[in-house]
Amino acid sequence: MERLDKRLANTGTWSRKEARELIRAGRVAADGTVCRAPEQKVPETAAVTVDGAPIGGGGPVYLMLNKPAGVVSSTDEPGERTVMDLLGPEWRNRGLFPAGRLDKDTEGLLLITDDGPLAHRLLAPKRHVDKVYYVEVDGVLDQGDAEAVEAGIVLGDGTACRPGELELLSGSAARITIHEGKYHQVKRMLASRGKPVRYLRRERFGPLILDPDLPKGGWRALTEEEIQALFRQ
Ligand code: URA
């Protein structure tokens, strides 16, 4: 048996003090049970998690982040706040990266992982993973816009977008589904209709649905079901 704070500190990721704080904050579980006592002894074989993720470089990590506006989707960009800065220090230097990009001013669902092969598969253009966005534009969206999205919009530079879906919600708001991920795609599609995007939030990425309990800037580990669904994608 080993003290829980020692077990965390032994990974080299946290100091003993940081480990005690994490435990008292209720972020640490041993074999699925949250444990708030740093001095609690756990068997060496116990599966210990922090925020649901195995410690000590266990398996791959899969996090769902509710990206706020104002941060960039990269691991390191001089002069910018990145999505990685939103995660706690325990997630630094673990090889995590955002699987895909949202623009700096776009909010919503971003998958953060260290599983390169899965990310590669999900982002492969041929895979056509669905992405669903809530969008608000300057102007009024109408049936003509929905039909154009469904037919496949050709952008100003001649790039052809695959057919998508546009569900009209109110005058300027809609839910748009695209099946690819070209640079600034939603903004360019709607700009080509003369309706510049003024707000964009990703609500779905393949089988993953943005958790409504996650505040902007909040994140959590994916559940086992969510991970399995990603692998089936
Ligand atoms: N389309 C965009 O234009 N921006 C994003 O961030 C995502 C999709």
Side-chain angles (χ1 to χ4, degrees):
M1 299 282 268
E2 187 178 34
R3 279 176 64 117
L4 194 53
D5 56 353
K6 187 151 179 280
R7 174 85 184 269
L8 256 61
N10 284 348
T11 63
T13 309
W14 303 276
S15 68
R16 197 76 173 247
K17 181 163 174 278
E18 287 167 340
R20 283 197 292 272
E21 282 164 8
L22 283 172
I23 297 167
R24 291 203 184 97
R27 294 169 62 186
V28 180
D31 282 336
T33 305
V34 171
C35 176
R36 289 172 183 272
E39 67 283 2
Q40 164 102 33
K41 293 208 164 146
V42 294
E44 277 76 12
T45 52
V48 176
T49 57
V50 174
D51 295 326
I55 63 162
V61 173
Y62 305 94
L63 306 177
M64 173 189 293
L65 171 75
N66 184 1
K67 180 191 171 298
V71 297
V72 296
S73 302
S74 63
T75 49
D76 183 27
E77 202 160 312
E80 295 283 4
R81 218 168 150 231
T82 75
V83 289
M84 305 311 292
D85 296 328
L86 299 170
L87 310 178
E90 66 272 29
W91 297 100
R92 307 263 155 78
N93 308 318
R94 290 190 55 157
L96 294 178
F97 58 89
R101 278 174 178 262
L102 294 175
D103 296 336
K104 186 171 175 180
D105 59 354
T106 300
E107 297 181 352
L109 174 53
L110 196 60
L111 170 65
I112 310 252
T113 184
D114 55 358
D115 186 336
L118 178 74
H120 189 74
R121 272 216 314 281
L122 292 172
L123 300 174
K126 271 197 273 170
R127 191 143 308 238
H128 307 311
V129 171
D130 292 355
K131 290 142 195 131
V132 181
Y133 297 84
Y134 170 83
V135 62
E136 288 176 16
V137 298
D138 285 333
V140 174
L141 290 162
D142 57 28
Q143 201 51 38
D145 299 315
E147 283 164 17
V149 169
E150 274 156 37
I153 284 181
V154 178
L155 303 176
D157 64 358
T159 306
C161 298
R162 291 174 66 85
E165 291 87 45
L166 186 82
E167 179 195 349
L168 302 171
L169 297 175
S170 70
S172 61
R175 188 161 284 119
I176 184 165
T177 303
I178 57 174
H179 309 283
E180 54 193 344
K182 299 186 195 303
Y183 184 62
H184 294 327
Q185 182 163 343
V186 173
K187 290 178 184 164
R188 287 158 77 211
M189 282 167 74
L190 294 176
S192 80
R193 302 285 305 165
K195 322 241 164 122
V197 169
R198 61 161 190 243
Y199 176 78
L200 192 59
R201 179 178 69 237
R202 183 151 72 186
E203 297 186 330
R204 196 154 80 73
F205 175 67
L208 296 184
I209 296 172
L210 180 62
D211 185 334
D213 291 334
L214 275 184
K216 284 181 198 174
W219 54 274
R220 65 161 171 79
L222 293 193
T223 64
E224 202 46 47
E225 291 76 48
E226 287 170 329
I227 296 169
Q228 295 308 323
L230 275 182
F231 275 91
R232 282 195 302 271
Q233 176 69 45

